[in-house]
Amino acid sequence: MRIILLGAPGAGKGTQAATLHEHLNAPHIATGDLFRAALSQGTPLGLEAKSYMDRGELVPDDVTVRMLLERISQPDAADGYILDGFPRSLAQAEALDEALKSHNETVDKVLLVDVSEDELVRRLSGRWICRACQTPYHAVSNPPKTEGMCDADGGELYQRDDDKPETVRNRLGVYRDQTAPLIDYYTAQEILTSINGEQEIDVVRADLLAAIN
């Protein structure tokens, strides 16, 4: 089964993708991991992507799509896969559909983990990290015993720029502009199922599995 997992940053896609991977015995393919692997291995596509990144430019859709297609052509993805972080735009979705069509394949199911913006900001902006050992904490779900101090080594906790509330809202704005239109695209194809991502993790997991079964 070929599955796309949609959702904003902080929706919990990575956590749930691991469950789907185990249930379907299909590879979990995250584009961020693909880029890191291609760059570290120095593949031709990785070097091409790096040339854009070194200039501070976005990697073009065609490079990203070629990298993804190379990955899903591997033997472990022959019977299906879970895409996480791709497509990010309508152009990428259309390119994926065209590529699959040339192999007489289609996306089987799109699962949207739906979480409100306020909840996403709460989740993302609550993260703090130990400056010394990099242990992560969360102000609500996993607070340190002493505010501002790491339980493990007493190191100072700090917040990355990406996790500050104003930056988080900007990231969510980019998601709405670029990725949210995919919801209409896949709804029109009648392959999208929306899951309430604000439930307990186990409930979200059960709803996702019910959707694919």
Side-chain angles (χ1 to χ4, degrees):
M1 181 175 277
R2 291 171 288 276
I3 294 173
I4 292 173
L5 205 53
L6 287 183
K13 299 188 303 298
T15 299
Q16 298 300 340
T19 295
L20 295 178
H21 161 69
E22 292 176 5
H23 181 77
L24 297 171
N25 194 28
H28 168 210
I29 301 173
T31 47
D33 294 339
L34 286 183
F35 275 108
R36 283 186 287 274
L39 289 172
S40 67
Q41 295 165 13
T43 67
L45 279 175
L47 293 174
E48 187 174 349
K50 186 176 184 297
S51 70
Y52 290 97
M53 295 163 70
D54 286 347
R55 296 195 298 270
E57 300 174 7
L58 291 175
V59 178
D61 281 347
D62 73 291
V63 177
T64 304
V65 170
R66 280 187 284 139
M67 196 175 292
L68 178 80
L69 294 178
E70 185 178 83
R71 174 64 184 90
I72 65 178
S73 68
Q74 294 176 16
D76 68 328
D79 295 327
Y81 41 80
I82 301 130
L83 298 184
D84 174 7
F86 185 95
R88 289 186 184 275
S89 66
L90 209 51
Q92 289 184 355
E94 291 169 344
L96 176 62
D97 279 352
E98 282 300 311
L100 291 176
K101 185 178 178 181
S102 68
H103 293 86
N104 295 315
E105 297 175 350
T106 60
V107 173
D108 297 304
K109 180 70 74 172
V110 178
L111 302 172
L112 169 66
V113 183
D114 192 21
V115 179
S116 68
E117 183 167 316
D118 286 345
E119 173 62 13
L120 291 168
V121 171
R122 185 191 73 83
R123 291 182 185 182
L124 292 169
S125 63
R127 185 167 61 174
W128 292 78
I129 298 171
C130 175
R131 198 176 294 279
C133 70
Q134 301 300 303
T135 297
Y137 294 88
H138 193 280
V140 177
S141 60
N142 181 35
K145 294 175 182 176
T146 302
E147 185 175 352
M149 184 182 295
C150 177
D151 295 347
D153 60 13
E156 175 196 1
L157 301 185
Y158 78 103
Q159 192 167 44
R160 292 175 178 167
D161 288 341
D162 279 357
D163 294 331
K164 293 178 180 177
E166 60 272 21
T167 307
V168 167
R169 289 198 183 275
N170 287 337
R171 288 170 63 195
L172 295 177
V174 171
Y175 165 77
R176 281 196 309 274
D177 292 342
Q178 294 186 353
T179 310
L182 295 173
I183 296 171
D184 292 336
Y185 180 75
Y186 288 120
T187 297
Q189 295 185 27
E190 299 183 347
I191 57 173
L192 183 138
T193 300
S194 180
I195 305 295
N196 178 3
E198 296 187 33
Q199 306 172 98
E200 294 294 327
I201 290 176
D202 288 346
V203 179
V204 175
R205 180 181 298 121
D207 286 352
L208 287 169
L209 293 176
I212 62 175
N213 290 331

Short mmCIF file of all heavy atoms in Angstrom, two decimals, residues 4-46:
data_model
loop_
_atom_site.label_atom_id
_atom_site.label_comp_id
_atom_site.label_asym_id
_atom_site.label_seq_id
_atom_site.Cartn_x
_atom_site.Cartn_y
_atom_site.Cartn_z
N ILE A 4 0.53 8.34 1.92
CA ILE A 4 1.11 9.64 2.22
C ILE A 4 0.58 10.10 3.57
O ILE A 4 -0.63 10.04 3.83
CB ILE A 4 0.74 10.68 1.14
CG1 ILE A 4 1.43 10.34 -0.18
CG2 ILE A 4 1.12 12.10 1.58
CD1 ILE A 4 0.98 11.20 -1.35
N LEU A 5 1.49 10.54 4.43
CA LEU A 5 1.13 11.05 5.74
C LEU A 5 1.26 12.56 5.71
O LEU A 5 2.37 13.09 5.52
CB LEU A 5 2.05 10.43 6.79
CG LEU A 5 1.57 10.32 8.23
CD1 LEU A 5 0.22 9.62 8.33
CD2 LEU A 5 2.61 9.58 9.07
N LEU A 6 0.14 13.26 5.87
CA LEU A 6 0.13 14.72 5.85
C LEU A 6 -0.09 15.26 7.26
O LEU A 6 -0.74 14.62 8.09
CB LEU A 6 -0.99 15.25 4.95
CG LEU A 6 -0.85 15.15 3.44
CD1 LEU A 6 -2.06 15.81 2.78
CD2 LEU A 6 0.43 15.79 2.95
N GLY A 7 0.41 16.46 7.49
CA GLY A 7 0.19 17.11 8.78
C GLY A 7 1.22 18.19 8.99
O GLY A 7 2.34 18.12 8.45
N ALA A 8 0.87 19.19 9.76
CA ALA A 8 1.77 20.31 10.01
C ALA A 8 2.94 19.89 10.91
O ALA A 8 2.88 18.85 11.56
CB ALA A 8 0.98 21.44 10.68
N PRO A 9 3.99 20.71 10.97
CA PRO A 9 5.06 20.44 11.94
C PRO A 9 4.48 20.35 13.34
O PRO A 9 3.67 21.19 13.74
CB PRO A 9 5.96 21.69 11.80
CG PRO A 9 5.68 22.23 10.45
CD PRO A 9 4.24 21.93 10.17
N GLY A 10 4.85 19.30 14.07
CA GLY A 10 4.34 19.14 15.42
C GLY A 10 3.09 18.29 15.51
O GLY A 10 2.59 18.04 16.62
N ALA A 11 2.58 17.83 14.37
CA ALA A 11 1.35 17.03 14.39
C ALA A 11 1.59 15.61 14.88
O ALA A 11 0.63 14.90 15.20
CB ALA A 11 0.71 17.01 13.00
N GLY A 12 2.84 15.17 14.90
CA GLY A 12 3.15 13.82 15.37
C GLY A 12 3.27 12.80 14.27
O GLY A 12 3.14 11.59 14.52
N LYS A 13 3.54 13.25 13.05
CA LYS A 13 3.61 12.33 11.91
C LYS A 13 4.71 11.29 12.09
O LYS A 13 4.52 10.11 11.78
CB LYS A 13 3.85 13.10 10.61
CG LYS A 13 2.77 14.08 10.24
CD LYS A 13 2.97 14.65 8.85
CE LYS A 13 4.31 15.31 8.66
NZ LYS A 13 4.52 16.48 9.54
N GLY A 14 5.87 11.73 12.58
CA GLY A 14 6.99 10.79 12.72
C GLY A 14 6.68 9.66 13.68
O GLY A 14 6.97 8.50 13.41
N THR A 15 6.04 9.99 14.79
CA THR A 15 5.66 8.98 15.79
C THR A 15 4.71 7.97 15.18
O THR A 15 4.86 6.75 15.34
CB THR A 15 5.00 9.65 17.01
OG1 THR A 15 5.93 10.55 17.60
CG2 THR A 15 4.55 8.62 18.03
N GLN A 16 3.71 8.47 14.47
CA GLN A 16 2.69 7.58 13.90
C GLN A 16 3.23 6.81 12.70
O GLN A 16 2.81 5.68 12.44
CB GLN A 16 1.45 8.38 13.51
CG GLN A 16 0.76 9.07 14.68
CD GLN A 16 0.30 8.10 15.75
OE1 GLN A 16 0.13 6.90 15.49
NE2 GLN A 16 0.07 8.60 16.95
N ALA A 17 4.16 7.39 11.96
CA ALA A 17 4.75 6.69 10.81
C ALA A 17 5.46 5.43 11.26
O ALA A 17 5.45 4.41 10.56
CB ALA A 17 5.71 7.61 10.07
N ALA A 18 6.07 5.47 12.45
CA ALA A 18 6.76 4.28 12.96
C ALA A 18 5.77 3.14 13.18
O ALA A 18 6.08 1.97 12.90
CB ALA A 18 7.48 4.63 14.27
N THR A 19 4.58 3.46 13.66
CA THR A 19 3.55 2.45 13.87
C THR A 19 3.09 1.86 12.54
O THR A 19 2.95 0.64 12.39
CB THR A 19 2.34 3.05 14.60
OG1 THR A 19 2.75 3.43 15.91
CG2 THR A 19 1.20 2.04 14.71
N LEU A 20 2.85 2.74 11.56
CA LEU A 20 2.40 2.27 10.25
C LEU A 20 3.48 1.39 9.61
O LEU A 20 3.17 0.40 8.94
CB LEU A 20 2.08 3.46 9.35
CG LEU A 20 0.90 4.34 9.78
CD1 LEU A 20 0.74 5.51 8.82
CD2 LEU A 20 -0.39 3.52 9.85
N HIS A 21 4.72 1.77 9.80
CA HIS A 21 5.85 0.99 9.27
C HIS A 21 5.81 -0.44 9.81
O HIS A 21 5.95 -1.41 9.06
CB HIS A 21 7.16 1.67 9.65
CG HIS A 21 8.36 0.79 9.59
ND1 HIS A 21 8.89 0.32 8.39
CD2 HIS A 21 9.14 0.27 10.56
CE1 HIS A 21 9.94 -0.44 8.66
NE2 HIS A 21 10.11 -0.49 9.97
N GLU A 22 5.58 -0.58 11.11
CA GLU A 22 5.53 -1.91 11.72
C GLU A 22 4.30 -2.68 11.26
O GLU A 22 4.37 -3.88 10.98
CB GLU A 22 5.51 -1.78 13.25
CG GLU A 22 6.82 -1.23 13.83
CD GLU A 22 6.73 -1.02 15.32
OE1 GLU A 22 5.69 -1.39 15.92
OE2 GLU A 22 7.69 -0.48 15.91
N HIS A 23 3.17 -2.01 11.17
CA HIS A 23 1.91 -2.67 10.81
C HIS A 23 1.92 -3.16 9.36
O HIS A 23 1.45 -4.27 9.07
CB HIS A 23 0.75 -1.70 11.03
CG HIS A 23 -0.59 -2.29 10.72
ND1 HIS A 23 -1.24 -3.16 11.57
CD2 HIS A 23 -1.41 -2.15 9.64
CE1 HIS A 23 -2.40 -3.53 11.03
NE2 HIS A 23 -2.52 -2.93 9.86
N LEU A 24 2.46 -2.33 8.47
CA LEU A 24 2.42 -2.65 7.04
C LEU A 24 3.69 -3.33 6.56
O LEU A 24 3.74 -3.81 5.41
CB LEU A 24 2.20 -1.36 6.24
CG LEU A 24 0.88 -0.62 6.46
CD1 LEU A 24 0.92 0.73 5.76
CD2 LEU A 24 -0.29 -1.45 5.96
N ASN A 25 4.72 -3.34 7.41
CA ASN A 25 6.03 -3.85 6.99
C ASN A 25 6.48 -3.15 5.70
O ASN A 25 6.98 -3.78 4.76
CB ASN A 25 5.98 -5.37 6.78
CG ASN A 25 7.38 -5.96 6.67
OD1 ASN A 25 8.33 -5.42 7.23
ND2 ASN A 25 7.51 -7.05 5.93
N ALA A 26 6.28 -1.84 5.68
CA ALA A 26 6.64 -1.02 4.53
C ALA A 26 7.59 0.08 5.00
O ALA A 26 7.48 0.56 6.13
CB ALA A 26 5.39 -0.39 3.91
N PRO A 27 8.54 0.48 4.17
CA PRO A 27 9.51 1.50 4.61
C PRO A 27 8.86 2.85 4.87
O PRO A 27 7.95 3.27 4.16
CB PRO A 27 10.49 1.57 3.44
CG PRO A 27 9.76 1.03 2.27
CD PRO A 27 8.81 0.01 2.80
N HIS A 28 9.35 3.51 5.92
CA HIS A 28 8.96 4.89 6.25
C HIS A 28 9.98 5.79 5.55
O HIS A 28 11.16 5.78 5.90
CB HIS A 28 8.98 5.07 7.77
CG HIS A 28 8.88 6.49 8.21
ND1 HIS A 28 9.45 6.95 9.38
CD2 HIS A 28 8.29 7.57 7.63
CE1 HIS A 28 9.20 8.23 9.52
NE2 HIS A 28 8.52 8.64 8.47
N ILE A 29 9.52 6.56 4.58
CA ILE A 29 10.42 7.38 3.78
C ILE A 29 10.18 8.85 4.09
O ILE A 29 9.14 9.41 3.71
CB ILE A 29 10.23 7.10 2.28
CG1 ILE A 29 10.49 5.61 1.98
CG2 ILE A 29 11.14 7.99 1.44
CD1 ILE A 29 10.17 5.19 0.56
N ALA A 30 11.11 9.46 4.79
CA ALA A 30 11.04 10.88 5.13
C ALA A 30 12.04 11.63 4.25
O ALA A 30 13.20 11.25 4.17
CB ALA A 30 11.36 11.10 6.61
N THR A 31 11.58 12.69 3.60
CA THR A 31 12.45 13.38 2.65
C THR A 31 13.67 13.99 3.35
O THR A 31 14.74 14.05 2.76
CB THR A 31 11.68 14.48 1.89
OG1 THR A 31 10.92 15.26 2.82
CG2 THR A 31 10.75 13.87 0.88
N GLY A 32 13.51 14.42 4.60
CA GLY A 32 14.66 14.95 5.32
C GLY A 32 15.76 13.92 5.43
O GLY A 32 16.95 14.23 5.23
N ASP A 33 15.37 12.67 5.72
CA ASP A 33 16.35 11.58 5.81
C ASP A 33 16.99 11.31 4.45
O ASP A 33 18.18 11.00 4.36
CB ASP A 33 15.69 10.31 6.33
CG ASP A 33 15.22 10.45 7.77
OD1 ASP A 33 15.73 11.34 8.48
OD2 ASP A 33 14.34 9.67 8.19
N LEU A 34 16.18 11.40 3.39
CA LEU A 34 16.72 11.17 2.04
C LEU A 34 17.80 12.18 1.71
O LEU A 34 18.86 11.84 1.17
CB LEU A 34 15.60 11.27 1.00
CG LEU A 34 14.59 10.13 0.90
CD1 LEU A 34 13.62 10.41 -0.23
CD2 LEU A 34 15.29 8.80 0.68
N PHE A 35 17.53 13.46 2.02
CA PHE A 35 18.52 14.50 1.75
C PHE A 35 19.80 14.25 2.53
O PHE A 35 20.90 14.34 1.98
CB PHE A 35 17.95 15.88 2.10
CG PHE A 35 17.13 16.50 1.01
CD1 PHE A 35 15.76 16.60 1.13
CD2 PHE A 35 17.73 16.98 -0.14
CE1 PHE A 35 14.99 17.16 0.12
CE2 PHE A 35 16.98 17.56 -1.15
CZ PHE A 35 15.61 17.65 -1.03
N ARG A 36 19.66 13.95 3.81
CA ARG A 36 20.85 13.74 4.64
C ARG A 36 21.67 12.55 4.14
O ARG A 36 22.90 12.60 4.07
CB ARG A 36 20.44 13.54 6.10
CG ARG A 36 20.07 14.85 6.80
CD ARG A 36 19.81 14.64 8.27
NE ARG A 36 18.54 13.96 8.53
CZ ARG A 36 17.37 14.59 8.63
NH1 ARG A 36 17.31 15.91 8.50
NH2 ARG A 36 16.27 13.93 8.88
N ALA A 37 20.97 11.47 3.76
CA ALA A 37 21.67 10.29 3.26
C ALA A 37 22.38 10.58 1.94
O ALA A 37 23.54 10.20 1.73
CB ALA A 37 20.70 9.13 3.09
N ALA A 38 21.69 11.27 1.04
CA ALA A 38 22.27 11.58 -0.27
C ALA A 38 23.47 12.50 -0.13
O ALA A 38 24.48 12.34 -0.83
CB ALA A 38 21.20 12.22 -1.16
N LEU A 39 23.39 13.45 0.80
CA LEU A 39 24.51 14.36 1.01
C LEU A 39 25.71 13.64 1.62
O LEU A 39 26.84 13.84 1.19
CB LEU A 39 24.07 15.52 1.92
CG LEU A 39 23.09 16.53 1.30
CD1 LEU A 39 22.59 17.50 2.37
CD2 LEU A 39 23.75 17.30 0.17
N SER A 40 25.43 12.79 2.62
CA SER A 40 26.54 12.10 3.29
C SER A 40 27.21 11.08 2.37
O SER A 40 28.41 10.85 2.46
CB SER A 40 26.04 11.42 4.56
OG SER A 40 25.15 10.36 4.26
N GLN A 41 26.42 10.48 1.46
CA GLN A 41 26.96 9.48 0.55
C GLN A 41 27.56 10.10 -0.71
O GLN A 41 28.21 9.40 -1.50
CB GLN A 41 25.87 8.48 0.16
CG GLN A 41 25.36 7.64 1.34
CD GLN A 41 24.05 6.93 1.02
OE1 GLN A 41 23.63 6.86 -0.13
NE2 GLN A 41 23.41 6.39 2.05
N GLY A 42 27.28 11.39 -0.92
CA GLY A 42 27.82 12.07 -2.09
C GLY A 42 27.26 11.55 -3.39
O GLY A 42 27.97 11.52 -4.41
N THR A 43 26.00 11.13 -3.40
CA THR A 43 25.39 10.64 -4.65
C THR A 43 25.24 11.80 -5.63
O THR A 43 25.24 12.97 -5.23
CB THR A 43 24.00 10.04 -4.36
OG1 THR A 43 23.11 11.09 -3.94
CG2 THR A 43 24.06 8.98 -3.28
N PRO A 44 25.10 11.49 -6.93
CA PRO A 44 24.93 12.57 -7.91
C PRO A 44 23.76 13.50 -7.56
O PRO A 44 23.89 14.73 -7.66
CB PRO A 44 24.67 11.81 -9.22
CG PRO A 44 25.41 10.52 -9.04
CD PRO A 44 25.22 10.17 -7.59
N LEU A 45 22.64 12.92 -7.14
CA LEU A 45 21.49 13.76 -6.78
C LEU A 45 21.78 14.55 -5.51
O LEU A 45 21.35 15.70 -5.37
CB LEU A 45 20.24 12.90 -6.59
CG LEU A 45 19.50 12.50 -7.86
CD1 LEU A 45 18.35 11.54 -7.54
CD2 LEU A 45 18.95 13.73 -8.58
N GLY A 46 22.50 13.92 -4.59
CA GLY A 46 22.86 14.61 -3.37
C GLY A 46 23.75 15.82 -3.65
O GLY A 46 23.56 16.89 -3.07
#
